[in-house]
C-alpha cells in the first residue's frame, strides 16, 4: 500500500490546484481526524508558515510531479525497512497503528 511513495522534499501540483506544494511528511494523519493519508505538504516555496495550512492527501490526488526529493542510502534503507512493509493503517488513541495490531 505504501510502496513507491515520493521522498520528503518532492514538489507536486495537486489536481484542481494552482500552486505547487512540497511534501514534508509521509503516512500522516491530521490531529482531528482518524484518516491516514499518504502525504502531508506545505506551500512551495514558502514552506510551513502556518501549520493550519498544511495539506493532507493521497497519491491519487497528484496531478504533476515537478521535483523528486533527495534520495540517498538512508532514504532507500528507510523505505525498504519501514514504508514498503507497512500494511493498512488506522489512527487509534492518537497513534498511527497497523489494523492488524489490535
Amino acid at each position: 500500500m505504501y510502496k513507491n511513495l515520493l521522498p520528503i522534499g518532492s514538489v507536486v501540483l495537486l489536481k484542481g490546484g494552482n500552486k505547487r506544494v512540497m511534501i514534508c511528511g509521509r503516512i500522516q494523519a491530521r490531529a482531528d481526524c482518524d484518516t491516514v493519508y499518504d502525504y502531508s505538504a506545505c506551500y512551495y516555496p514558502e514552506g510551513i508558515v502556518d501549520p493550519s495550512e498544511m495539506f493532507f492527501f493521497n497519491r491519487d490526488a497528484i496531478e504533476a510531479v515537478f521535483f523528486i526529493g533527495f534520495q540517498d542510502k538512508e532514504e532507500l534503507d528507510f523505505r525498504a525497512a519501514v514504508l514498503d512493509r507497512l500494511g493498512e493503517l488506522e489512527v487509534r488513541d492518537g497513534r498511527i497503528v497497523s489494523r492488524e495490531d489490535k
Side-chain angles (χ1 to χ4, degrees), residues 2-45:
Y2 293 106
K3 288 183 182 275
N4 302 317
L5 287 179
L6 291 166
I8 303 297
S10 296
V11 178
V12 302
L13 180 67
L14 300 178
K15 292 177 182 174
N18 58 6
K19 183 155 177 59
R20 293 178 288 179
V21 297
M22 182 178 66
I23 294 171
C24 55
R26 297 176 287 192
I27 310 170
Q28 303 281 300
R30 293 176 191 250
D32 61 349
C33 180
D34 289 345
T35 303
V36 176
Y37 296 92
D38 292 339
Y39 301 108
S40 64
C42 56
Y43 281 118
Y44 176 84

Side-chain angles (χ1 to χ4, degrees), residues 1 16 28 43 48 50 54 59 97-98:
M1 176 177 188
Q28 303 281 300
Y43 281 118
I48 302 171
D50 181 349
M54 296 287 293
R59 68 188 90 200
V97 296
S98 171

Side-chain angles (χ1 to χ4, degrees), residues 26-92:
R26 297 176 287 192
I27 310 170
Q28 303 281 300
R30 293 176 191 250
D32 61 349
C33 180
D34 289 345
T35 303
V36 176
Y37 296 92
D38 292 339
Y39 301 108
S40 64
C42 56
Y43 281 118
Y44 176 84
E46 294 89 338
I48 302 171
V49 176
D50 181 349
S52 69
E53 293 183 1
M54 296 287 293
F55 297 89
F56 294 83
F57 58 94
N58 292 318
R59 68 188 90 200
D60 60 352
I62 297 173
E63 182 173 308
V65 176
F66 288 88
F67 177 78
I68 296 177
F70 184 68
Q71 298 181 82
D72 63 357
K73 184 177 180 338
E74 186 176 8
E75 164 65 17
L76 298 175
D77 289 348
F78 176 76
R79 191 177 297 165
V82 179
L83 298 180
D84 289 349
R85 293 201 167 111
L86 290 175
E88 292 227 8
L89 302 175
E90 66 182 356
V91 177
R92 193 174 331 125

